[in-house]
Amino acid sequence: MIRVFHACEFQEPTCRGLNKPMIIRGETDAGESQRLFLKSRAGYANRPNAAGVEMFTTLLARSLGLKAPEPVVVVIPNGFERLAREHPVYQDLLRGSFGNNFGTVALGPDWKTLPVGMGIQLFPRDTVESILTFDALVQQDDRDFENPNLQWNGDQIAILDHERCFGHLGDASADQYPWRRYLGKRPLRQHCLRSLVGDVDASFGKDLREEWLELEMDGRLPGLLEASCRAFPEATLDLNRIDRYLRRRMLYPAELRTLNILGISVFRRKCREINGLRWIRNI
């Protein structure tokens, strides 16, 4: 399911990302060569789970029909850092990242990083709804106006960067609404695609929700979680907690559909204080 590439050529640093990703060339054991976008293990710093989370969330996005680069494992061999000698910061990151790292296969030269402030009216409404619904599902809080984390090609959008997802899991076995730890902060109010959404009705995000039902019926979710943990055993992902959260989350599609977190719901709302946080609920 997940391809493995061996790093063989350092090409260039990227111009974005706090964890200082880089472009390299990698080869599989079968000799296939690809241009790869590498996020080094050292670049994740004190977030040992980040690579596993990013692998799982990217696999999940692709399984639900969203456009996302293929996630792969990039093996950095001993001494590879010498190829980045003109970039000391990246050389240090590579030196501290021997072994398995997270990467994605480049989408191709026609795909560009969505610049801050670019008009987004050309993107199809159903695609935007699916991305917003997915980001609400996986607790994405890193796709805002200043940092879109998207690539585009014509009217197509590809989603990137999921290392910060599932940061507010809570205890899905004890809490009836564990996602409100995340939704209560209304993190998607600054989502870079929010301006394309007008009225929200019962069909909002319908395509992605139907894909989710198929994913569950086919029993594919545990396989995605297990594959991510095999790729990055050190991530120590809590598979059971993520699985419980996702399954329980989709039992309440109305909260996902109405997107109170965006401030655009057509339903009346009221606020109540719980532990100093503002939580939104439909009435």
Side-chain angles (χ1 to χ4, degrees):
M1 177 186 292
I2 300 173
R3 293 199 290 172
V4 177
F5 286 82
H6 300 272
C8 56
E9 178 187 350
F10 179 89
Q11 295 188 341
E12 60 181 340
T14 65
C15 58
R16 64 182 181 87
L18 292 177
N19 52 13
K20 296 180 173 58
M22 57 200 87
I23 304 296
I24 69 163
R25 185 172 63 85
E27 289 185 356
T28 66
D29 288 338
E32 180 183 356
S33 178
Q34 289 283 0
R35 192 168 187 256
L36 305 173
F37 183 89
L38 168 68
K39 288 188 172 181
S40 66
R41 195 167 63 250
Y44 286 128
N46 60 347
R47 294 173 295 157
N49 290 340
V53 168
E54 188 137 33
M55 176 64 76
F56 167 67
T57 312
T58 308
L59 289 173
L60 180 62
R62 289 165 60 89
S63 296
L64 291 173
L66 293 173
K67 183 70 175 178
E70 177 192 357
V72 298
V73 171
V74 180
V75 180
I76 296 178
N78 188 22
F80 181 74
E81 75 278 2
R82 290 195 293 269
L83 301 181
R85 55 183 174 273
E86 295 182 3
H87 304 278
V89 172
Y90 291 85
Q91 193 172 38
D92 289 343
L93 291 175
L94 291 168
R95 186 178 294 113
S97 302
F98 301 146
N100 288 3
N101 293 262
F102 177 81
T104 54
V105 177
L107 290 173
D110 293 334
W111 286 86
K112 309 296 182 186
T113 299
L114 189 76
V116 174
M118 173 181 164
I120 55 177
Q121 288 73 23
L122 67 138
F123 300 131
R125 162 100 184 204
D126 57 347
T127 300
V128 170
E129 288 185 8
S130 291
I131 292 174
L132 285 167
T133 303
F134 177 77
D135 283 350
L137 174 66
V138 301
Q139 302 182 346
Q140 172 66 270
D141 62 2
D142 193 25
R143 206 183 312 285
D144 57 29
F145 298 117
E146 299 301 322
N147 188 32
N149 283 326
L150 297 170
Q151 288 190 331
W152 68 288
N153 178 13
D155 63 354
Q156 300 180 80
I157 322 174
I159 57 176
L160 315 166
D161 291 349
H162 304 104
E163 66 198 65
R164 286 168 48 177
C165 293
F166 298 108
H168 309 270
L169 281 177
D171 186 353
S173 61
D175 187 350
Q176 185 177 5
Y177 306 106
W179 50 86
R180 288 183 176 177
R181 181 192 302 263
Y182 163 75
L183 298 185
K185 300 176 184 295
R186 305 184 78 183
L188 298 186
R189 291 190 68 184
Q190 300 301 315
H191 197 287
C192 62
L193 299 177
R194 177 192 172 192
S195 63
L196 288 181
V197 180
D199 290 340
V200 177
D201 56 29
S203 67
F204 191 94
K206 178 175 178 288
D207 290 348
L208 187 122
R209 288 185 282 116
E210 289 179 349
E211 290 285 350
W212 172 265
L213 290 176
E214 289 188 18
L215 184 80
E216 275 210 311
M217 291 177 64
D218 294 343
R220 286 178 284 155
L221 182 62
L224 299 180
L225 285 162
E226 291 166 8
S228 302
C229 278
R230 285 196 302 270
F232 300 105
E234 72 280 0
T236 62
L237 294 178
D238 191 335
L239 302 186
N240 291 330
R241 190 163 64 150
I242 291 176
D243 182 66
R244 285 196 306 268
Y245 174 84
L246 289 173
R247 293 179 188 279
R248 189 161 187 78
R249 184 69 184 87
M250 295 308 286
L251 289 176
Y252 295 85
E255 288 208 8
L256 186 65
R257 184 174 63 238
T258 57
L259 287 176
N260 281 326
I261 44 176
L262 297 179
I264 56 177
S265 173
V266 296
F267 294 92
R268 291 182 299 139
R269 296 165 299 176
K270 71 177 181 179
C271 300
R272 59 192 175 98
E273 297 293 331
I274 299 181
N275 296 327
L277 295 176
R278 292 176 66 82
W279 299 83
I280 312 299
R281 65 184 176 95
N282 295 331
I283 60 172

